[in-house]
């Protein structure tokens, strides 16, 4: 898969409303244009700019878009998996309680991450699960996650991005930010932008599919 193919899969079939939403989230905050107003940037120019960005990330990291997507999935898996409840250990002969629903979904996402060549649809399923789990962790704060809302409507992308930017982890020489956004073309900044792109697809593609089905059903 090339950067252009990824964007064609994710954004090519979306209506202009979805692209306008994406432009509003990315232009100015993550990608610079000579235009002040995002609405002044045409769909074609915006798509070219996104493709150019992903290709520059490839040059910066020295990895193909496929490798960078795997890195993205690893980061997101680690982000959302820290407070997902595990199976309860029981003594030999005892019947274990059901596996927490959040754990079942997390394991499903992890399986997709480690699959050899996940399809675009599988990647989207992975991102949806991870974003819903992470949203549950944001809402529950310090509690372990046993169950969660896996609907698209549960995802608040602004809160997710804000939380991602503030995440702190233990590094080799002390605490540090989980996502280093100092490098525009680094994999961490790319992770933020890919999250927005995938969320846009999840939010709008599913809604457009539902609206199309309603039109077919309506006599």
């Amino acid at each position: 898969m090339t950067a252009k193919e990824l964007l064609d899969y994710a954004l090519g079939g979306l209506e202009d409303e979805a692209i306008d939403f994406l432009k509003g989230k990315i232009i100015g905050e993550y990608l610079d244009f000579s235009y002040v107003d995002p609405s002044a940037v045409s769909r074609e120019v915006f798509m070219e700019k996104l493709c150019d960005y992903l290709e520059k990330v490839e040059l910066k990291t020295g990895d193909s878009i496929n490798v960078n997507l795997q890195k993205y999935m690893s980061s997101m898996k680690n982000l959302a998996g820290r407070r997902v409840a595990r199976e309860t250990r029981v003594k030999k002969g005892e019947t274990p309680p059901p596996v927490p629903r959040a754990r079942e979904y997390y394991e499903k996402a992890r399986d997709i991450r480690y699959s050899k060549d996940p399809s675009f649809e599988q990647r989207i399923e992975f991102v949806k699960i991870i974003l819903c789990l992470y949203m549950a962790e944001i809402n529950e704060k310090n509690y372990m996650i046993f169950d969660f809302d896996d609907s698209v409507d549960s995802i608040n992308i602004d809160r997710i991005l804000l939380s991602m930017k503030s995440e702190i982890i233990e590094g080799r020489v002390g605490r540090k930010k989980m996502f280093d956004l100092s490098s525009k073309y680094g994999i961490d900044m790319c992770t933020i932008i890919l999250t927005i792109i995938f969320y846009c697809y999840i939010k709008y593609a599913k809604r457009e599919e539902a609206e199309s089905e309603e039109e077919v059903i309506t006599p």
Side-chain angles (χ1 to χ4, degrees):
M1 180 185 295
T2 65
K4 184 178 184 306
E5 288 171 339
L6 173 64
L7 293 174
D8 285 343
Y9 274 121
L11 307 175
L14 297 185
E15 299 291 340
D16 288 341
E17 179 188 358
I19 303 302
D20 289 341
F21 169 86
L22 190 61
K23 288 193 292 184
K25 295 297 181 186
I26 290 180
I27 294 176
E29 182 75 18
Y30 304 105
L31 296 183
D32 298 324
F33 283 80
S34 57
Y35 309 97
V36 176
D37 184 359
S39 64
V41 181
S42 70
R43 181 187 184 113
E44 292 73 20
V45 169
F46 180 60
M47 293 284 281
E48 289 176 3
K49 188 79 170 181
L50 282 178
C51 186
D52 180 63
Y53 172 79
L54 293 177
E55 289 174 346
K56 286 182 178 178
V57 172
E58 289 181 290
L59 292 175
K60 173 73 174 179
T61 62
D63 292 318
S64 68
I65 185 66
N66 291 310
V67 173
N68 284 332
L69 282 171
Q70 292 301 90
K71 289 181 179 179
Y72 166 79
M73 294 172 77
S74 289
S75 293
M76 296 302 287
K77 175 183 69 69
N78 294 336
L79 175 71
R82 294 168 295 175
R83 289 199 286 114
V84 174
R86 297 183 177 275
E87 297 180 54
T88 302
R89 294 182 178 180
V90 297
K91 296 179 180 179
K92 186 176 180 179
E94 292 183 348
T95 302
V99 177
R101 182 169 173 272
R103 172 56 56 177
E104 288 183 343
Y105 275 76
Y106 179 73
E107 295 294 340
K108 184 177 183 179
R110 192 173 69 172
D111 288 344
I112 294 173
R113 159 61 186 92
Y114 289 116
S115 60
K116 186 176 181 180
D117 186 23
S119 65
F120 176 76
E121 290 75 17
Q122 286 177 311
R123 294 185 195 277
I124 289 298
E125 183 179 17
F126 167 90
V127 175
K128 179 175 177 288
I129 292 172
I130 292 299
L131 291 184
C132 288
L133 283 172
Y134 188 50
M135 194 74 242
E137 293 183 18
I138 293 172
N139 291 333
E140 294 297 331
K141 296 182 180 179
N142 297 322
Y143 295 96
M144 296 298 291
I145 306 301
F146 289 84
D147 199 358
F148 71 113
D149 185 344
D150 63 338
S151 68
V152 176
D153 291 339
S154 73
I155 303 171
N156 184 319
I157 192 62
D158 292 325
R159 290 183 66 195
I160 282 177
L161 295 175
L162 183 63
S163 184
M164 288 175 69
K165 293 175 187 177
S166 62
E167 287 286 353
I168 301 295
I169 58 174
E170 293 293 339
R172 293 181 179 179
V173 290
R175 291 162 64 82
K176 66 174 185 177
K177 286 195 172 183
M178 186 174 186
F179 298 99
D180 179 5
L181 305 183
S182 61
S183 175
K184 180 178 180 180
Y185 300 106
I187 191 63
D188 288 342
M189 180 65 83
C190 183
T191 293
I192 297 291
I193 291 178
L194 284 173
T195 297
I196 302 172
I197 291 172
F198 287 138
Y199 170 73
C200 182
Y201 177 88
I202 293 168
K203 175 181 174 68
Y204 286 96
K206 299 303 180 184
R207 191 180 76 180
E208 290 171 10
E209 288 176 7
E211 290 174 350
S212 297
E213 290 176 359
E214 288 178 2
E215 291 176 359
V216 172
I217 295 173
T218 302

